[in-house]
Amino acid sequence: MTLPSPKANFYADLDANLNGLRTQGLYKQERVISSRQGAEVLCDDGRTLLNLCANNYLGLSGDEKLVQASIDATRQYGYGLSSVRFICGTQTVHKQLEQALSAFLGMEDTVLYAAAFDANGGLFEPLFDEQDAIISDTLNHASIIDGIRLCKANRFRYAHNDMGDLELQLQAAADKRHKVIVTDGVFSMDGTIAQLDKICDLADKYGALVMIDECHASGFMGQTGRGTHEHHHVMGRIDIITGTLGKALGGAMGGFTAARREVIETLRQKSRPYLFSNTLAPSIAGASLSVLNMLLSSTELRDRLHANTAHFRHHITQLGFTIKPGTHPIVPVMLFDAPVAQQFAQRLYALGVLVTGFFYPVVPMGQARVRVQLSAAHTTAQLDQALAAFAQVGRELGLLKNQE
Ligand SMILES: *Cc1c(COP(=O)(O)O)cnc(C)c1O
């Protein structure tokens, strides 16, 4: 008999863990799309699906003008830089995009990253150390949590969106040198908008900085789409903004941090994902620049997104579904029970509507849901088609409050 080698044990353990995920219903399956991203997508099984689960808020992911802008930038600047920024990876298009983002967000300066995950991962360690305090919402994004882990600052956590607890944590951190409050501008599971007006007041009272992650806000929150700081009328009071180019602002990939000059200069000198990772592809920088120009010339896309959101929120409630109240294009349709949420998403899929079911441990026990995300690319007819599918599945599963 041959004894299993330590290596064989390693692979066997991985398989056992993967099987565990499958039996617990936690295994994530990838759908394969063979078309561009958009309101409708073609899947590799030949079916066309109405897509209600992309972060394609402004509908730009498959937009012809952006495809052309990325081709134009590729022709001018080439395919890539084969370099990090500080060696030979900075082109005029990167500097132009940094300036345009600063102007759009109302901040002094901006530094680009390959992803918002990197922007958050490389933010805290260069700026704060063991003398300082980071005060973070418990539901902040994984990349913020990881970024804070890489930093030696003292960690304080406040209960999600709880301003009373935030104040207690600020008091607990009173003897620390620098203090920074850290929050998602919008939280992705519920579409909850952080109370930035109150957060800025508390920050002023306790001499703290404010950092927000605007991944689910940049491009469409606020009157002209600048973000949650515009929505809450606190532009000029936020110290640090991180965000993505991979959601509303085009949908390719890439991230950024915007702040005062001293912060951005420090990040360019010390932030590890910036120093040790390749520069953003010129095609993305060029196309992102056209996105910002598009948003400056008209709020049409942002306005259509909010009209679509209002339409869907109104009619889904009329049908008798329970949603998390709010105004954000993330609309959690609450089904509470995990198997029901799973079944619901599967039935919608069969009817040609793509949504994601979320259940414990991604959301709290008993809070299972399907999460809908609206897009400016959806037509009213498509939304009504989705609503009809929701109604049908709701009736089939006996879930509608208003059912006669
Ligand atoms: C999506 C997201 C990120 C990561 O963005 P990428 O650019 O895809 O890395 C970070 N923070 C929040 C809140 C997000 O929703």
Side-chain angles (χ1 to χ4, degrees):
M1 201 184 93
T2 53
L3 288 173
S5 72
K7 259 174 75 167
N9 286 344
F10 170 73
Y11 296 116
D13 284 351
L14 291 187
D15 259 334
N17 287 334
L18 289 167
N19 284 331
L21 290 178
R22 283 191 194 90
T23 51
Q24 292 167 68
L26 298 177
Y27 190 86
K28 293 180 279 298
Q29 204 79 47
E30 296 179 2
R31 286 189 206 295
V32 181
I33 295 172
S34 52
S35 65
R36 290 185 187 182
Q37 182 64 280
E40 286 187 337
V41 289
L42 182 63
C43 286
D44 69 342
D45 61 5
R47 297 187 58 214
T48 298
L49 296 169
L50 192 49
N51 190 359
L52 293 179
C53 57
N55 299 309
N56 188 17
Y57 294 114
L58 296 177
L60 295 173
S61 305
D63 184 81
E64 194 50 41
K65 286 193 295 294
L66 275 205
V67 170
Q68 191 56 51
S70 78
I71 291 169
D72 292 345
T74 301
R75 292 217 177 280
Q76 183 171 355
Y77 293 101
Y79 175 59
L81 269 300
S82 307
S83 172
V84 298
R85 286 287 298 275
F86 81 95
I87 296 180
C88 54
T90 300
Q91 292 171 313
T92 43
V93 71
H94 298 99
K95 298 313 285 182
Q96 285 164 357
L97 178 57
E98 286 172 343
Q99 279 160 22
L101 279 166
S102 305
F104 185 75
L105 299 167
M107 305 297 277
E108 203 168 272
D109 200 0
T110 298
V111 55
L112 299 174
Y113 287 86
F117 207 104
D118 289 335
N120 286 330
L123 177 68
F124 300 99
E125 187 259 344
L127 300 177
F128 304 101
D129 67 21
E130 47 273 273
Q131 302 183 68
D132 305 319
I134 298 175
I135 303 153
S136 176
D137 188 293
T138 46
L139 287 195
N140 278 341
H141 190 261
S143 55
I144 294 181
I145 294 169
D146 285 7
I148 294 173
R149 278 192 190 139
L150 293 170
C151 165
K152 294 204 169 62
N154 300 275
R155 301 167 199 173
F156 296 82
R157 280 154 42 102
Y158 64 96
H160 172 54
N161 203 25
D162 181 335
M163 297 298 103
D165 195 32
L166 171 56
E167 182 154 23
L168 289 177
Q169 300 307 317
L170 282 162
Q171 288 163 357
D175 64 335
K176 302 296 180 257
R177 181 183 59 181
H178 306 308
K179 297 169 266 292
V180 59
I181 302 169
V182 173
T183 182
D184 285 9
V186 173
F187 293 86
S188 64
M189 283 301 145
D190 290 348
T192 303
I193 303 168
Q195 304 173 67
L196 293 188
D197 44 349
K198 294 181 184 146
I199 289 174
C200 286
D201 289 347
L202 283 169
D204 288 347
K205 184 169 170 191
Y206 291 93
L209 301 156
V210 179
M211 175 270 174
I212 61 176
D213 173 339
E214 286 283 90
C215 285
H216 289 283
S218 294
F220 61 94
M221 291 300 289
Q223 204 78 58
T224 61
R226 310 303 165 109
T228 317
H229 58 333
E230 184 183 29
H231 173 86
H232 272 305
H233 308 289
V234 293
M235 286 184 82
R237 297 179 69 191
I238 304 294
D239 296 282
I240 301 170
I241 294 177
T242 61
T244 185
L245 304 171
K247 289 173 182 158
L249 297 179
M253 63 188 301
F256 57 84
T257 300
R260 269 176 58 154
R261 177 193 56 77
E262 301 90 324
V263 171
I264 300 306
E265 215 174 318
T266 304
L267 294 175
R268 286 189 204 280
Q269 296 304 314
K270 297 187 173 172
S271 180
R272 292 164 69 83
Y274 183 77
L275 290 177
F276 298 109
S277 186
N278 209 27
T279 197
L280 190 68
S283 58
I284 297 177
S288 301
L289 206 47
S290 356
V291 171
L292 293 178
N293 286 333
M294 216 183 273
L295 300 188
L296 287 177
S297 70
S298 159
T299 60
E300 188 195 333
L301 292 177
R302 176 245 174 240
D303 298 343
R304 201 181 312 149
L305 170 63
H306 288 291
N308 282 349
T309 300
H311 182 85
F312 188 87
R313 281 182 173 271
H314 174 73
H315 288 285
I316 195 84
T317 311
Q318 290 291 103
L319 286 173
F321 285 99
T322 304
I323 62 171
K324 292 260 178 188
T327 55
H328 195 273
I330 292 171
V331 184
V333 180
M334 303 306 294
L335 301 167
F336 307 104
D337 183 60
V340 172
Q342 229 164 342
Q343 210 184 344
F344 201 99
Q346 276 161 15
R347 279 297 297 144
L348 280 178
Y349 182 76
L351 296 176
V353 178
L354 194 52
V355 295
T356 327
F358 286 110
F359 30 89
Y360 182 80
V362 178
V363 294
M365 197 75 89
Q367 293 279 300
R369 65 195 63 182
V370 294
R371 182 180 68 177
V372 168
Q373 290 175 283
L374 282 312
S375 167
H378 293 133
T379 63
T380 307
Q382 286 170 329
L383 295 181
D384 292 344
Q385 180 197 333
L387 287 159
F390 268 85
Q392 180 178 334
V393 178
R395 274 193 302 274
E396 282 174 15
L397 302 181
L399 299 170
L400 300 186
K401 282 181 298 200
N402 306 348
Q403 211 165 349
E404 50 295 42

